[in-house]
Amino acid sequence: MEPDKDNANPTILNPSDLPSRRRESSVKKREDGGTGLFDDLVSSYNYLGDPFERPVSSSDSDDDSVEDIDEQEIYDLISSISDPEHPLSLGSLAVVNLPDIRILPPTSPHSSISTVVVEITPTITHCSLATVIGLGVRVRLEQALPPRFRVDVRIKKGTHSTDEAVNKQLGDKERVAAALENGTLMGVLRKMLSTCE
Amino acid sequence: MPPPPETPSHIIHPISSLSPPSNSRTWQSAPHPTLPLIATACSDRTVRVYSLTSFTLLHSITGGHKRSVRAVSWKPGVKGQSVLATGSFDASAGVWRRDERGLEEGYSRRRESQDDDDDEEDDENDYQFSCILDGHESEIKSLSWSPSGQYLATCSRDKSVWIWEELEDDNFETVAVLQEHEGDVKCVAWHPEDDLLASASYDDTVRLYREDADDWVQVAMLDGHKKTVWWVEFEGSGMTAKDFRSEGESLSEERTHHMEQMKRRGPRLATSSDDCTVRIWHRIPKGAPAQASSNTGIPSIIRSMATDEEWVQEASLPQRHDRAVYSVSWSRKTGMIVSAGSDGKIVVYKERWTNQITNGVKADETTGLESANDEEDAPMTEWVVIAELFSAHDVFEINHVCWARRCDKGRRSEDEEVIISTGDDGEIRVWTLDE
């Protein structure tokens, strides 16, 4: 580990403790003759490339496709993002957590716009990379979700020393758009998101 | 305490999309001051110029900016040519010119040869890059020519507002660098009559500037929005003679007084914000019977400097947006306001007389009270929503909305206006307001 990291010794969650509804099926796979050796190494979220191509689960198979995205799926989309300074996922660092993801339905029957609110928990209160992590989460969701979703990414209250300032930046569409035209920053983001596909 | 929503009396009716759309986000559109054209700032680093007669693309201005073009503004009062300023995330502003003599001929030729890039005629028909304005340290967010065309204001994420003066063609001088804001400056707008500039910012405030003894200085700060102020725009000139106030029979004494007061204040200011509100502000005229200050007993020499202006919030429009309101536009023909933003809605508001007791009788009885309330309480007018459209750009955000003169064949009167919305979907849509 490099000495200048903001948090050289983060708490890391065991992958099997991370929320997933796919665990059952992977267990079944093991019974089917898989070795199980690589289960901890191969991301269990490797279907992330196009998550809306396949039905979420057999019970959801009715034709009402509008509300077929739930918090678990949002979690799956962002938990596999890599931390910019550790070779670990945001899920395993508990930067993103399932209970901190909410999907708000349209505010009017005339509207089809839903809102995804994600609260992120930086590993330490003065983590200077909080903005970059938040940006990664916002970009990942904007790229993966259908455009009817508005994405609001915030720092969980009380977990960061400058959370209001970071929240304001993350909520500013124009700043986000300009950031994505910044080559250096895009390089960092691309690396963070490379573990998602 | 929003008043009970009334059924909107008008509908926003689609007439066309400008064709072809951009295949990436479009930020802002500016109708030409005299010709039936509209220029759109695009995130693909280009500006698209469309016809408002045929709703088709006439020109693509490319090759100038290295990043998104965020803002465009036509220079007013130019004869024989069109002059367009462009502001970009690459921190520079560009000035482009096109000869408009023999306009009609040029258009038809251009349209026929649209796909033929090697056509020699294209060069003289196209917008020519004429100069670049460098100075800002980061993204330019907005720019605007003063009504006289003498000044161009630009603003940036670097927290500054620059005022450039065009001494002669393509020779611009920086006359002011204003660094009052504590955050990105999102929008700049000029007063329609005076050399008075307004800027809106990420620091949640609006600031006004004027020239004072050769120096541009801040003359007022408008504080009230709870979040980033995305847009600022002045009301048109002399609107009391054009808007709803000019309609109808003889006015009561009270209403006549109100109109005189409005004339003294001059054009008002509209702002829209991330806090989901649209607000109206006005100036407290100087030398007018300023009850508020005389009541405080503070000598006026302490109260303010000679150039300072006092602006107060006059109204907050009925809140119909539930996400950031990116843009608001004030019709210079009817005085109506249109707003749009992140929630994808377009909302039209109209001002009207309040139905208070009044009509002469009350005012006569309580003359003293009436004048004491001069600047506050019992507003004479109120704003109501007259039209509301959901999903104007399908599920996409609307970055900009404005009024423009209607120029297509379907025009119903000389004065008819259209609403033009510019969205994240790359679409620029044209709407009419129908009863």
Side-chain angles (χ1 to χ4, degrees), chain B residues 29-78:
Chain B
S29 298
H32 192 286
T34 52
L35 301 171
L37 302 173
I38 191 161
T40 299
C42 306
S43 63
D44 63 3
R45 308 167 189 193
T46 72
V47 174
R48 298 164 82 89
V49 180
Y50 291 93
S51 161
L52 285 179
T53 313
S54 63
F55 302 131
T56 54
L57 182 68
L58 300 174
H59 300 276
S60 248
I61 304 176
T62 58
H65 288 291
K66 297 183 193 73
R67 301 258 184 103
S68 279
V69 179
R70 175 65 181 91
V72 284
S73 178
W74 296 98
K75 182 175 177 179
V78 197

Side-chain angles (χ1 to χ4, degrees), chain A residues 11-165:
Chain A
T11 314
I12 303 159
L13 302 182
N14 188 319
S16 62
D17 293 337
L18 299 180
S20 165
R21 70 167 133 247
R22 311 233 344 133
R23 205 173 303 142
E24 270 188 75
S25 57
S26 61
V27 170
K28 269 184 207 132
K29 230 184 272 162
R30 203 172 302 175
E31 286 167 354
D32 286 342
T35 63
L37 269 179
F38 300 111
D39 280 4
D40 284 355
L41 299 176
V42 177
S43 166
S44 55
Y45 312 119
N46 58 5
Y47 62 93
L48 286 171
D50 48 355
F52 307 110
E53 296 284 298
R54 39 161 71 214
V56 172
S57 70
S58 50
S59 62
D60 258 10
S61 60
D62 56 4
D63 282 329
D64 181 21
S65 59
V66 173
E67 280 309 329
D68 63 356
I69 293 165
D70 65 9
E71 283 82 355
Q72 177 71 52
E73 264 171 289
I74 303 293
Y75 178 84
D76 292 348
L77 285 168
I78 57 178
S79 61
S80 52
I81 298 172
S82 301
D83 183 271
E85 64 172 14
H86 298 288
L88 295 162
S89 74
L90 297 185
S92 64
L93 288 166
V95 173
V96 298
N97 299 288
L98 186 58
D100 296 330
I101 298 171
R102 279 176 298 147
I103 297 177
L104 310 176
T107 52
S108 154
H110 302 293
S111 170
S112 52
I113 295 167
S114 302
T115 308
V116 175
V117 183
V118 179
E119 291 186 315
I120 59 172
T121 309
T123 48
I124 39 173
T125 56
H126 59 273
C127 178
S128 57
L129 291 167
T131 314
V132 178
I133 293 172
L135 192 59
V137 170
R138 177 166 170 161
V139 169
R140 171 65 177 150
L141 291 178
E142 280 181 352
Q143 289 174 352
L145 292 173
R148 67 185 174 83
F149 283 94
R150 298 290 182 267
V151 178
D152 288 341
V153 178
R154 301 194 192 120
I155 306 286
K156 196 168 181 180
K157 218 173 158 58
T159 60
H160 194 265
S161 47
T162 56
D163 51 0
E164 280 309 314

Side-chain angles (χ1 to χ4, degrees), chain B residues 154-423:
Chain B
T154 57
C155 65
S156 159
R157 183 165 65 85
D158 66 14
K159 306 179 187 178
S160 70
V161 173
W162 289 47
I163 300 174
W164 312 75
E165 183 173 8
E166 192 170 13
L167 301 174
E168 53 201 61
D169 273 6
D170 299 336
N171 178 11
F172 285 83
E173 186 186 72
T174 311
V175 294
V177 177
L178 302 158
Q179 296 181 292
E180 305 289 346
H181 281 295
E182 288 156 20
D184 314 13
V185 190
K186 295 296 195 186
C187 184
V188 280
W190 290 92
H191 189 281
E193 298 157 14
D194 306 348
D195 284 332
L196 173 67
L197 178 68
S199 65
S201 166
Y202 189 78
D203 71 7
D204 309 349
T205 70
V206 172
R207 295 174 198 248
L208 302 179
Y209 317 86
R210 246 182 215 286
E211 195 172 12
D212 176 38
D214 274 359
D215 260 338
W216 285 81
V217 291
Q218 176 178 315
V219 295
M221 184 182 87
L222 282 57
D223 204 349
H225 280 295
K226 302 280 182 286
K227 292 184 177 178
T228 299
V229 188
W230 280 103
W231 198 263
V232 58
E233 189 169 299
F234 280 98
E235 184 178 27
S237 202
M239 289 308 293
T240 52
K242 300 175 195 164
D243 68 13
F244 75 102
R245 292 174 183 83
S246 65
E247 297 162 6
E249 354 62 72
S250 60
L251 292 167
S252 68
E253 209 174 302
E254 223 179 341
R255 290 181 179 177
T256 310
H257 173 72
H258 161 82
M259 283 173 62
E260 280 163 9
Q261 203 174 46
M262 284 202 62
K263 281 178 198 152
R264 280 206 311 275
R265 290 172 183 162
R268 295 172 287 176
L269 194 66
T271 55
S272 73
S273 163
D274 210 35
D275 70 10
C276 307
T277 67
V278 176
R279 299 176 195 226
I280 309 292
W281 313 74
H282 70 245
R283 169 164 50 195
I284 308 274
K286 277 185 190 161
Q291 284 81 11
S293 58
S294 56
N295 288 347
T296 61
I298 302 171
S300 62
I301 193 165
I302 294 175
R303 208 168 42 78
S304 66
M305 309 227 315
T307 53
D308 276 2
E309 296 189 4
E310 193 182 348
W311 284 72
V312 293
Q313 183 179 317
E314 168 181 309
S316 190
L317 303 198
Q319 192 179 325
R320 291 299 172 85
H321 290 286
D322 56 18
R323 294 186 63 85
V325 190
Y326 290 132
S327 175
V328 60
S329 176
W330 211 323
S331 164
R332 309 226 154 179
K333 294 245 193 292
T334 63
M336 288 192 271
I337 284 180
V338 61
S339 67
S342 168
D343 61 8
K345 284 170 76 173
I346 298 177
V347 183
V348 181
Y349 316 80
K350 191 180 193 307
E351 196 179 11
R352 67 179 184 195
W353 297 112
T354 47
N355 296 318
Q356 18 182 44
I357 342 99
T358 70
N359 288 341
V361 187
K362 189 106 189 270
D364 284 345
E365 286 171 5
T366 60
T367 316
L369 184 67
E370 220 281 307
S371 69
N373 283 344
D374 215 19
E375 296 292 352
E376 59 203 85
D377 286 350
M380 289 294 297
T381 64
E382 63 187 355
W383 288 88
V384 289
V385 172
I386 60 161
E388 186 172 28
L389 178 68
F390 284 85
S391 308
H393 283 244
D394 193 8
V395 296
F396 294 90
E397 299 195 355
I398 301 174
N399 294 314
H400 180 253
V401 68
C402 65
W403 299 92
R405 200 158 57 88
R406 184 164 184 187
C407 305
D408 63 288
K409 285 195 203 103
R411 184 169 70 171
R412 291 168 289 193
S413 72
E414 190 63 29
D415 267 353
E416 187 179 1
E417 288 182 298
V418 286
I419 293 167
I420 297 176
S421 58
T422 305

